[in-house]
Amino acid sequence: MDRRALLSAIGGSVAALSGCAGADPGVGQTPNGTDDGSAAADGERSSGGDESGASLAVELRTVSHVVTAYEPSPSRGIDPAHVVPESEVPAALRDPLAEARDGRFETDDPSDALLAAVDEFRVYDRGELRPYVELDGTRYAFDPRLPTFTAELVDEEAEGDDEDRVLREAGRRDDLGSEAVETFVTALTAYGPNAARGEYRRCVRPDAVAAFLDEYDYLEDGRGVSRIETTVENEEPPYAITARELTERDMWDRPVVDESALDGEVVSLFERALASSHREPALTTPDRSQYFADEVPDAYGDVAAAYDEPPYYRLDGTVYDIIVGEPRYDRLPVSVSVAASESAASEAPDRGFTLTDAPAPENADDDAEGPYTFTSRGALPSALWVVHDGERTELDIVETEGIEGPRPSRSDGEALESLDAGDEMAATYAVPEGLSEGTYTSRGLFHVSWGVPDRTPDEHGAYPFELEIAVE
């Protein structure tokens, strides 16, 4: 796999990119206001990408790479909240777990207390087992091979003689007389014809459930009347409990690469991405960042190619999901252009420019058909900012064309517009009078989705871009 294909594959769909513009914290401003070393390399200019007005010049540039970084939720794998600390492990389970950790616990006669202790690790009505404990600072998953009562519904309708042994949902569901029986019935039944039924599992069958089963053989739910089928797993001895140490991959459901295993250039790229405020105002969460990068070290591709799925990365003790995407402009059915205007608006004469987006089916790498739906955080075609003297300044939109939907009230709100081939949308941005002479970089991004004949779902992608704005 060549490096371009690799980066596109491991970076995920560029449609996942979202956010807004600015300069990296900690990166010094050059005297003319441009981010020092953070602007993307020149891409191919669009047809309208190098126009100038009386006191302003603006150039549109494509972006080589977009790096998105955030802290994933620990619940992506095994939620640490579900790992029971040693002090809270039931007493009857402590010695068996100690033996299991050293090899294997076996018994021919498990105590009721031990069986009940295992049931304490079941969650949800259906008895899902989360057998996670922490012992002496190490996390383990234990596997109990103990007698386990199970029940589920099978497709077998009641005969006329069995009518008295059917629990009719409508008439009896609210009067079961026992919380244990309510849990049992809820676990097995489905609320509608398209909902899945479940399975009830317990090492210790509550007495109330046993009494219920003496009275009923069938349950009615949203899918009809079905027979209750019960069994006991692991009915015969010997019984056992084994344990294994939880790996970091278990906990995160992804491999985790420590920074000590990374090339220094890769670590530096990740650190710049984590500190980036390129599109901060339009990002949906404060722990997410996006960085527009000129180059990605070859060593990054080497690390990512070693895994079947994108790994997480640990930097300075914190785990991050860091996605490096290489935009595929060659497959997007859009055209984008920018032109400086001699008079953007009465409030900002001679200091403005117009950004125009339009469907361009001829630019797609496959047949494309409308409607073409454009989305962007903050505003369409994109919310834009520049940084001057360390302060972020929004470029106000003073005029729009072809944009019917309202602008979001929040900078991270999503704007949406659908266009047909031949339509276009444009926004005129005013550059503040207080912006001193110099060259500034503003970073924008929008998403687009479109149809492909005889194919579902729609295709989609993202168009990140940079504007170099020269104030004269």
Side-chain angles (χ1 to χ4, degrees):
M1 179 180 292
D2 65 36
R3 185 167 175 268
R4 281 183 60 87
L6 172 67
L7 288 170
S8 295
I10 61 182
S13 168
V14 290
L17 307 175
S18 62
C20 205
D24 281 353
V27 178
Q29 293 273 320
T30 59
N32 66 4
T34 304
D35 286 356
D36 188 7
S38 66
D42 289 351
E44 295 182 1
R45 295 181 184 177
S46 68
S47 59
D50 192 16
E51 303 289 341
S52 61
S55 61
L56 182 141
V58 60
E59 179 184 353
L60 173 71
R61 303 188 304 209
T62 54
V63 175
S64 299
H65 302 91
V66 178
V67 186
T68 301
Y70 66 96
E71 294 183 39
S73 168
S75 61
R76 293 284 180 94
I78 297 173
D79 193 330
H82 298 148
V83 180
V84 177
E86 189 167 3
S87 60
E88 297 178 16
V89 173
L93 190 56
R94 291 177 185 174
D95 289 342
L97 283 180
E99 291 186 36
R101 188 174 52 162
D102 293 336
R104 178 183 175 92
F105 165 79
E106 286 193 358
T107 180
D108 288 337
D109 186 21
S111 67
D112 289 344
L114 175 59
L115 298 177
V118 171
D119 281 340
E120 290 190 30
F121 288 81
R122 299 191 192 277
V123 295
Y124 305 126
D125 296 334
R126 298 175 181 183
E128 177 186 334
L129 187 66
R130 287 180 174 166
Y132 311 123
V133 295
E134 183 172 304
L135 306 173
D136 297 328
T138 302
R139 293 165 172 170
Y140 297 89
F142 67 89
D143 181 17
R145 189 187 180 279
L146 297 170
T148 304
F149 170 81
T150 71
E152 61 182 336
L153 294 182
V154 296
D155 292 331
E156 182 181 315
E157 293 188 8
E159 301 291 340
D161 293 343
D162 296 325
E163 181 61 31
D164 290 341
R165 297 190 64 79
V166 178
L167 176 69
R168 295 290 177 181
E169 183 179 34
R172 301 293 298 275
R173 189 66 173 275
D174 296 333
D175 188 25
L176 296 176
S178 165
E179 183 178 348
V181 174
E182 289 180 14
T183 297
F184 177 81
V185 172
T186 300
L188 271 58
T189 54
Y191 57 82
N194 297 318
R197 287 167 166 169
E199 184 182 47
Y200 179 87
R201 302 179 64 84
R202 295 290 187 278
C203 288
V204 178
R205 182 181 63 175
D207 292 340
V209 172
F212 174 85
L213 291 171
D214 285 339
E215 185 176 356
Y216 295 103
D217 292 323
Y218 300 86
L219 289 178
E220 181 188 46
D221 66 357
R223 298 172 62 178
V225 175
S226 300
R227 183 172 60 85
I228 305 170
E229 182 176 81
T230 65
T231 187
V232 177
E233 294 181 355
N234 306 321
E235 192 167 9
E236 300 296 330
Y239 308 110
I241 296 177
T242 56
R244 67 176 180 86
E245 185 175 338
L246 289 172
T247 65
E248 208 155 39
R249 186 185 186 107
D250 292 326
M251 294 301 299
W252 289 99
D253 197 31
R254 289 266 195 98
V256 178
V257 180
D258 192 78
E259 64 180 304
S260 61
L262 297 174
D263 183 89
E265 290 185 346
V266 177
V267 174
S268 179
L269 171 69
F270 288 173
E271 289 176 341
R272 291 196 302 273
L274 290 167
S276 172
S277 63
H278 281 186
R279 293 191 47 82
E280 182 179 274
L283 296 176
T284 55
T285 57
D287 62 348
R288 184 178 293 264
S289 64
Q290 268 185 351
Y291 177 62
F292 290 8
D294 292 350
E295 299 290 339
V296 170
D298 290 338
Y300 168 77
D302 296 338
V303 171
Y307 296 90
D308 294 332
E309 58 182 323
Y312 289 153
Y313 299 91
R314 183 189 293 101
L315 303 176
D316 197 23
T318 301
V319 173
Y320 297 97
D321 189 354
I322 303 177
I323 303 167
V324 179
E326 188 170 6
R328 288 286 310 277
Y329 299 101
D330 59 339
R331 65 179 291 270
L332 298 179
V334 299
S335 67
V336 184
S337 61
V338 66
S341 54
E342 293 193 5
S343 180
S346 58
E347 303 91 0
D350 303 331
R351 293 170 64 92
F353 59 89
T354 299
L355 183 66
T356 303
D357 294 352
E362 67 278 7
N363 291 345
D365 62 355
D366 203 344
D367 291 338
E369 61 183 12
Y372 301 84
T373 300
F374 292 80
T375 59
S376 180
R377 295 286 176 180
L380 283 169
S382 178
L384 297 174
W385 289 261
V386 295
V387 174
H388 176 57
D389 291 338
E391 296 293 330
R392 187 186 302 275
T393 301
E394 182 176 2
L395 303 182
D396 290 331
I397 295 177
V398 296
E399 185 178 354
T400 63
E401 181 179 347
I403 302 175
E404 297 180 0
R407 288 190 62 183
S409 59
R410 290 162 45 106
S411 62
D412 61 352
E414 187 173 67
L416 179 149
E417 196 72 46
S418 289
L419 304 180
D420 293 319
D423 295 339
E424 68 177 24
M425 63 177 175
T428 299
Y429 298 78
V431 175
E433 284 293 339
L435 208 61
S436 60
E437 291 186 4
T439 302
Y440 301 86
T441 299
S442 185
R443 300 174 179 87
L445 183 147
F446 64 84
H447 300 268
V448 62
S449 63
W450 66 95
V452 176
D454 302 320
R455 185 190 304 171
T456 56
D458 288 349
E459 288 291 315
H460 55 90
Y463 193 107
F465 61 91
E466 291 187 327
L467 296 178
E468 183 178 278
I469 304 168
V471 179
E472 302 172 355

Short mmCIF file of all heavy atoms in Angstrom, two decimals, residues 315-337:
data_model
loop_
_atom_site.label_atom_id
_atom_site.label_comp_id
_atom_site.label_asym_id
_atom_site.label_seq_id
_atom_site.Cartn_x
_atom_site.Cartn_y
_atom_site.Cartn_z
N LEU A 315 0.24 9.93 25.38
CA LEU A 315 1.23 11.00 25.47
C LEU A 315 1.17 11.61 26.85
O LEU A 315 0.10 12.02 27.30
CB LEU A 315 0.96 12.08 24.41
CG LEU A 315 0.92 11.62 22.94
CD1 LEU A 315 0.55 12.77 22.05
CD2 LEU A 315 2.26 11.03 22.53
N ASP A 316 2.32 11.64 27.52
CA ASP A 316 2.40 12.22 28.85
C ASP A 316 1.34 11.62 29.79
O ASP A 316 0.71 12.33 30.58
CB ASP A 316 2.25 13.74 28.79
CG ASP A 316 2.72 14.43 30.06
OD1 ASP A 316 3.54 13.84 30.79
OD2 ASP A 316 2.25 15.55 30.33
N GLY A 317 1.13 10.32 29.66
CA GLY A 317 0.24 9.61 30.57
C GLY A 317 -1.23 9.63 30.19
O GLY A 317 -2.04 8.97 30.84
N THR A 318 -1.62 10.36 29.14
CA THR A 318 -3.03 10.45 28.73
C THR A 318 -3.21 9.76 27.38
O THR A 318 -2.39 9.91 26.48
CB THR A 318 -3.47 11.92 28.62
OG1 THR A 318 -3.29 12.55 29.89
CG2 THR A 318 -4.93 12.02 28.22
N VAL A 319 -4.31 9.02 27.25
CA VAL A 319 -4.61 8.29 26.02
C VAL A 319 -5.44 9.18 25.09
O VAL A 319 -6.42 9.80 25.52
CB VAL A 319 -5.37 6.99 26.33
CG1 VAL A 319 -5.85 6.30 25.04
CG2 VAL A 319 -4.47 6.04 27.12
N TYR A 320 -5.04 9.23 23.82
CA TYR A 320 -5.73 10.05 22.82
C TYR A 320 -6.07 9.22 21.59
O TYR A 320 -5.35 8.28 21.23
CB TYR A 320 -4.85 11.22 22.37
CG TYR A 320 -4.49 12.19 23.46
CD1 TYR A 320 -3.27 12.09 24.13
CD2 TYR A 320 -5.36 13.22 23.82
CE1 TYR A 320 -2.92 12.98 25.12
CE2 TYR A 320 -5.01 14.12 24.82
CZ TYR A 320 -3.80 14.00 25.47
OH TYR A 320 -3.46 14.88 26.46
N ASP A 321 -7.17 9.59 20.96
CA ASP A 321 -7.48 9.11 19.62
C ASP A 321 -7.01 10.20 18.66
O ASP A 321 -7.52 11.32 18.68
CB ASP A 321 -8.99 8.88 19.47
CG ASP A 321 -9.34 8.18 18.18
OD1 ASP A 321 -8.44 7.96 17.35
OD2 ASP A 321 -10.53 7.84 17.99
N ILE A 322 -6.01 9.89 17.86
CA ILE A 322 -5.42 10.86 16.94
C ILE A 322 -5.56 10.32 15.53
O ILE A 322 -5.03 9.26 15.20
CB ILE A 322 -3.94 11.14 17.28
CG1 ILE A 322 -3.82 11.62 18.74
CG2 ILE A 322 -3.35 12.15 16.32
CD1 ILE A 322 -2.39 11.84 19.20
N ILE A 323 -6.30 11.05 14.72
CA ILE A 323 -6.63 10.60 13.37
C ILE A 323 -5.96 11.54 12.37
O ILE A 323 -6.17 12.75 12.40
CB ILE A 323 -8.15 10.61 13.14
CG1 ILE A 323 -8.84 9.73 14.19
CG2 ILE A 323 -8.49 10.12 11.74
CD1 ILE A 323 -10.34 9.93 14.23
N VAL A 324 -5.16 10.98 11.49
CA VAL A 324 -4.49 11.76 10.46
C VAL A 324 -5.22 11.49 9.15
O VAL A 324 -5.21 10.37 8.64
CB VAL A 324 -3.00 11.40 10.34
CG1 VAL A 324 -2.35 12.21 9.22
CG2 VAL A 324 -2.29 11.65 11.67
N GLY A 325 -5.87 12.51 8.61
CA GLY A 325 -6.61 12.36 7.37
C GLY A 325 -5.96 13.12 6.24
O GLY A 325 -5.42 14.22 6.43
N GLU A 326 -5.98 12.54 5.05
CA GLU A 326 -5.47 13.21 3.86
C GLU A 326 -6.66 13.52 2.96
O GLU A 326 -7.27 12.62 2.39
CB GLU A 326 -4.47 12.31 3.15
CG GLU A 326 -3.74 13.00 2.02
CD GLU A 326 -2.59 12.15 1.49
OE1 GLU A 326 -2.43 11.01 1.94
OE2 GLU A 326 -1.85 12.66 0.63
N PRO A 327 -7.06 14.76 2.85
CA PRO A 327 -8.26 15.10 2.08
C PRO A 327 -8.18 14.61 0.64
O PRO A 327 -7.12 14.66 0.01
CB PRO A 327 -8.31 16.63 2.16
CG PRO A 327 -7.55 16.97 3.40
CD PRO A 327 -6.46 15.94 3.50
N ARG A 328 -9.33 14.16 0.14
CA ARG A 328 -9.43 13.67 -1.24
C ARG A 328 -10.24 14.67 -2.06
O ARG A 328 -11.40 14.47 -2.37
CB ARG A 328 -10.11 12.30 -1.23
CG ARG A 328 -9.27 11.17 -0.68
CD ARG A 328 -8.18 10.76 -1.68
NE ARG A 328 -8.76 10.55 -3.01
CZ ARG A 328 -9.35 9.41 -3.38
NH1 ARG A 328 -9.43 8.39 -2.54
NH2 ARG A 328 -9.84 9.28 -4.60
N TYR A 329 -9.60 15.77 -2.40
CA TYR A 329 -10.28 16.79 -3.19
C TYR A 329 -10.69 16.26 -4.57
O TYR A 329 -11.65 16.74 -5.16
CB TYR A 329 -9.37 18.01 -3.37
CG TYR A 329 -8.97 18.68 -2.08
CD1 TYR A 329 -7.73 18.46 -1.51
CD2 TYR A 329 -9.86 19.53 -1.42
CE1 TYR A 329 -7.36 19.08 -0.32
CE2 TYR A 329 -9.50 20.15 -0.23
CZ TYR A 329 -8.25 19.91 0.32
OH TYR A 329 -7.89 20.51 1.49
N ASP A 330 -9.95 15.26 -5.06
CA ASP A 330 -10.20 14.77 -6.40
C ASP A 330 -11.50 13.97 -6.52
O ASP A 330 -11.93 13.65 -7.62
CB ASP A 330 -9.03 13.90 -6.87
CG ASP A 330 -8.79 12.70 -5.97
OD1 ASP A 330 -9.23 12.73 -4.80
OD2 ASP A 330 -8.17 11.73 -6.43
N ARG A 331 -12.15 13.67 -5.40
CA ARG A 331 -13.39 12.90 -5.48
C ARG A 331 -14.62 13.73 -5.13
O ARG A 331 -15.73 13.23 -5.16
CB ARG A 331 -13.33 11.68 -4.55
CG ARG A 331 -13.26 12.03 -3.06
CD ARG A 331 -13.22 10.79 -2.20
NE ARG A 331 -14.48 10.07 -2.22
CZ ARG A 331 -15.48 10.28 -1.38
NH1 ARG A 331 -15.38 11.23 -0.46
NH2 ARG A 331 -16.59 9.59 -1.47
N LEU A 332 -14.41 15.00 -4.77
CA LEU A 332 -15.53 15.83 -4.32
C LEU A 332 -16.16 16.58 -5.49
O LEU A 332 -15.47 17.29 -6.24
CB LEU A 332 -15.05 16.85 -3.28
CG LEU A 332 -14.48 16.28 -1.98
CD1 LEU A 332 -14.04 17.41 -1.06
CD2 LEU A 332 -15.47 15.38 -1.28
N PRO A 333 -17.48 16.48 -5.66
CA PRO A 333 -18.16 17.17 -6.76
C PRO A 333 -18.47 18.61 -6.40
O PRO A 333 -19.63 19.05 -6.38
CB PRO A 333 -19.43 16.35 -6.95
CG PRO A 333 -19.75 15.85 -5.57
CD PRO A 333 -18.41 15.62 -4.90
N VAL A 334 -17.45 19.39 -6.06
CA VAL A 334 -17.64 20.79 -5.69
C VAL A 334 -16.55 21.64 -6.32
O VAL A 334 -15.47 21.16 -6.64
CB VAL A 334 -17.61 20.98 -4.15
CG1 VAL A 334 -18.72 20.19 -3.49
CG2 VAL A 334 -16.26 20.57 -3.58
N SER A 335 -16.86 22.91 -6.47
CA SER A 335 -15.85 23.91 -6.83
C SER A 335 -15.90 25.00 -5.78
O SER A 335 -16.98 25.36 -5.28
CB SER A 335 -16.09 24.47 -8.22
OG SER A 335 -17.29 25.24 -8.25
N VAL A 336 -14.74 25.53 -5.44
CA VAL A 336 -14.63 26.56 -4.42
C VAL A 336 -13.75 27.67 -4.97
O VAL A 336 -12.70 27.40 -5.57
CB VAL A 336 -14.01 26.00 -3.11
CG1 VAL A 336 -14.00 27.08 -2.03
CG2 VAL A 336 -14.78 24.78 -2.64
N SER A 337 -14.17 28.91 -4.78
CA SER A 337 -13.37 30.03 -5.25
C SER A 337 -13.48 31.18 -4.27
O SER A 337 -14.42 31.25 -3.47
CB SER A 337 -13.82 30.48 -6.65
OG SER A 337 -15.18 30.90 -6.62
#
